[in-house]
Amino acid sequence: PISLFDPHSKNVLLLRDSEQSGFGFSISESEEKGIFVNAVKPDGMAQLNGICPNDRILQVRVYIFNLFY
């Protein structure tokens, strides 16, 4: 199994504002691969942060911030 601390894994922080409808990628699940990225939107938030098709997702953390000015 791949670990979060494996030198071949990468940690990515994706931020979006309320005007964006998504993060620019879609995922799929299979018994062999687990959960993985199957498509990345060109020039989307995911691609700009180094997410590529076939990347395997090991962990997701969600933080919700509501900032009012």
Side-chain angles (χ1 to χ4, degrees):
I2 298 175
S3 163
L4 290 174
F5 304 106
D6 185 294
H8 297 99
S9 69
K10 58 187 168 186
N11 292 303
V12 178
L13 174 64
L14 293 177
L15 301 174
R16 71 178 178 99
D17 60 36
S18 60
E19 295 177 11
Q20 293 174 310
S21 62
F23 292 101
F25 70 101
S26 60
I27 60 173
S28 293
E29 182 179 12
S30 76
E31 273 192 44
E32 301 83 36
K33 290 184 180 181
I35 298 173
F36 65 97
V37 176
N38 64 3
V40 178
K41 180 180 177 183
D43 298 320
M45 189 60 60
Q47 185 184 50
L48 296 173
N49 283 279
I51 294 178
C52 302
N54 296 313
D55 279 355
R56 187 169 167 198
I57 297 177
L58 303 176
Q59 183 178 36
V60 175
R61 293 184 190 162
V62 177
Y63 300 99
I64 299 172
F65 298 97
N66 292 312
L67 302 176
F68 300 97
Y69 296 94

